[in-house]
């Protein structure tokens, strides 16, 4: 049964009251209370009935219930111990869910996927705690886990940075890092009144479909990402100066200018004008 928005908000308030639960700002707790948005996330996640889902931060289990109805198995990782009795109640009718009381940043997800989802297509779905969005997303991508996609609610500004193209104000190290590992698709804009309590900022649902192969050929990924970090740490400087000034870069301004010339790029170019392919080529020349 699909509840109306009013009854979803009422139900959340009722559960909060029953368990004497107080929202923890330090855990980024803004619970979803809008049915349409719940639909948007689960639709955007493209969950198949044989799929496994990892949910990060189930809260009181509102979205988890949907996930259990759509997927073969759900593993939800929640840091807040106070939510354990709540989740036992709200998820009592589902036998395909496992709740792990842990910090996702300290969880061995590779092991979890092997143990809980052997052979299944695995998708990550989450209304992420905003205080830790970027570290979680980068950890999921950089570990190169066997996952199909990551569909998440994040701050609008963060979603825009993930999807940004060269030459725009939102373009930066996060755009390049995310786009190296995944294709991005913003599925919905979500206003603050869809959450309890209301966050101060707007949100977006974004799907990151993990690429099966890298979009560019790079000899040394670490080196390329060092160049990218250097470029955007000092984004107002020319790329050559930013890299030469970056502690531990190991490259002089002249070396970078020489490499830029080989690529047919201006010696005064800034990182914000360079695309992923150009960073990869620059890195390949410099290593
Ligand atoms: N999924 C719920 C919903 O949509 O209503 C809650 C979303 S709320 C924005 C974020 C959830 O992540 C909270 O339940 C919070 O306790 C949990 N959380 C915060 N930091 C976490 C971490 N490091 N590991 C696992 N869960 C975390």
């Amino acid at each position: 049964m699909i509840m109306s928005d009013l009854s979803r908000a009422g139900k959340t308030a009722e559960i909060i009251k029953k368990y004497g639960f107080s929202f923890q700002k330090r855990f980024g707790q803004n619970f979803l209370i809008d049915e349409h948005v719940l639909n948007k996330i689960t639709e955007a996640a493209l969950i198949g009935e044989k799929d496994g889902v990892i949910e990060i931060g189930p809260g009181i289990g509102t979205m988890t219930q949907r996930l259990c109805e759509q997927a073969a198995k759900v593993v939800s990782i929640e840091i807040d111990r106070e939510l354990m009795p709540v989740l036992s109640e709200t998820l009592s009718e589902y036998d395909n869910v496992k709740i792990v009381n842990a910090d996702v940043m300290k969880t061995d997800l590779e092991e979890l996927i092997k143990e809980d989802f052997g052979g299944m297509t695995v998708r990550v779905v989450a209304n992420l705690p905003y205080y830790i969005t970027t570290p979680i997303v980068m950890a999921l991508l950089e570990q190169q886990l066997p996952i199909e996609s990551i569909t998440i609610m994040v701050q609008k500004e963060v979603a825009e940075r993930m999807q940004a193209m060269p030459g725009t104000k939102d373009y930066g190290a996060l755009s390049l890092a995310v786009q190296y590992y995944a294709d991005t698709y913003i599925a919905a804009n979500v206003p603050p009144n869809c959450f309890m309590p209301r966050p101060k900022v707007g949100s977006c649902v974004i799907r990151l479909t993990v690429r099966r192969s890298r979009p560019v050929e790079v000899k040394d990924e670490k080196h390329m990402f060092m160049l990218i970090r250097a470029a955007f740490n000092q984004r107002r400087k020319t790329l050559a100066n930013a890299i030469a000034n970056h502690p531990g870069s190991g490259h002089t301004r002249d070396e970078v200018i020489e490499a830029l010339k080989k690529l047919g790029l201006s010696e005064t170019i800034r990182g914000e004008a360079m695309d992923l392919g150009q960073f990869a080529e620059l890195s390949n020349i410099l290593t």
Side-chain angles (χ1 to χ4, degrees):
M1 186 187 73
I2 303 271
M3 288 187 193
S4 71
D5 293 351
L6 195 65
S7 68
R8 172 64 67 195
K11 183 91 185 152
T12 301
E14 196 183 296
I15 291 171
I16 299 298
K17 192 168 166 210
K18 176 171 169 189
Y19 285 90
F21 179 77
S22 40
F23 291 98
Q24 297 289 325
K25 224 177 170 178
R26 72 194 159 111
F27 290 148
Q29 289 175 341
N30 300 95
F31 295 163
L32 257 173
I33 52 165
D34 186 294
E35 291 299 330
H36 305 290
V37 177
L38 283 167
N39 291 341
K40 285 266 185 205
I41 300 182
T42 50
E43 275 165 30
L46 304 173
I47 302 164
E49 57 187 21
K50 292 185 179 154
D51 292 351
V53 169
I54 299 176
E55 185 191 19
I56 300 164
I60 60 168
T62 310
M63 188 159 75
T64 323
Q65 294 173 337
R66 294 290 181 94
L67 298 173
C68 291
E69 279 155 19
Q70 292 180 12
K73 184 167 184 191
V74 179
V75 175
S76 295
I77 305 165
E78 171 58 61
I79 199 171
D80 189 351
R81 197 150 42 96
E82 301 295 313
L83 287 167
M84 294 303 116
V86 183
L87 289 165
S88 295
E89 179 182 326
T90 57
L91 301 175
S92 61
E93 61 183 84
Y94 300 96
D95 59 7
N96 58 342
V97 61
K98 174 173 158 187
I99 303 296
V100 180
N101 182 202
D103 179 343
V104 69
M105 295 301 287
K106 296 182 184 151
T107 303
D108 183 344
L109 292 174
E110 199 171 341
E111 193 54 34
L112 183 150
I113 291 171
K114 253 190 235 152
E115 273 194 13
D116 288 290
F117 297 113
M120 287 183 195
T121 296
V122 178
R123 299 175 190 276
V124 174
V125 186
N127 170 15
L128 281 185
Y130 293 169
Y131 77 101
I132 197 178
T133 299
T134 304
I136 292 177
V137 171
M138 289 321 301
L140 292 172
L141 292 173
E142 282 170 354
Q143 284 176 65
Q144 306 193 17
L145 297 167
I147 51 176
E148 186 72 18
S149 60
I150 303 170
T151 305
I152 42 180
M153 177 87 73
V154 299
Q155 262 186 51
K156 187 165 187 284
E157 181 212 320
V158 175
E160 284 166 356
R161 280 168 44 209
M162 287 178 179
Q163 179 150 286
M165 298 314 283
T168 62
K169 71 170 174 32
D170 294 324
Y171 185 64
L174 182 65
S175 328
L176 284 154
V178 167
Q179 291 169 30
Y180 181 66
Y181 293 106
D183 281 319
T184 61
Y185 165 66
I186 294 185
N189 278 307
V190 182
N193 62 4
C194 297
F195 301 88
M196 180 187 288
R198 290 182 186 194
K200 290 199 175 76
V201 291
S203 306
C204 273
V205 177
I206 186 167
R207 182 180 65 225
L208 311 177
T209 306
V210 177
R211 294 182 191 273
R212 301 219 181 278
S213 57
R214 302 282 164 255
V216 293
E217 269 184 39
V218 60
K219 284 190 255 173
D220 181 346
E221 285 181 4
K222 273 198 182 139
H223 180 266
M224 179 181 74
F225 282 114
M226 180 278 291
L227 296 182
I228 290 172
R229 271 196 309 280
F232 291 98
N233 272 351
Q234 295 185 301
R235 66 185 289 150
R236 306 308 308 155
K237 287 211 155 70
T238 64
L239 184 72
N241 282 337
I243 294 175
N245 290 344
H246 189 71
S249 86
H251 300 295
T252 63
R253 184 172 174 277
D254 287 347
E255 271 171 17
V256 181
I257 289 176
E258 195 56 34
L260 287 171
K261 270 192 199 147
K262 282 189 191 155
L263 290 173
L265 295 170
S266 157
E267 65 178 66
T268 59
I269 196 168
R270 291 189 184 142
E272 61 196 14
M274 305 240 312
D275 65 21
L276 186 56
Q278 289 168 328
F279 272 111
E281 286 183 283
L282 180 69
S283 168
N284 289 343
I285 291 176
L286 288 171
T287 42

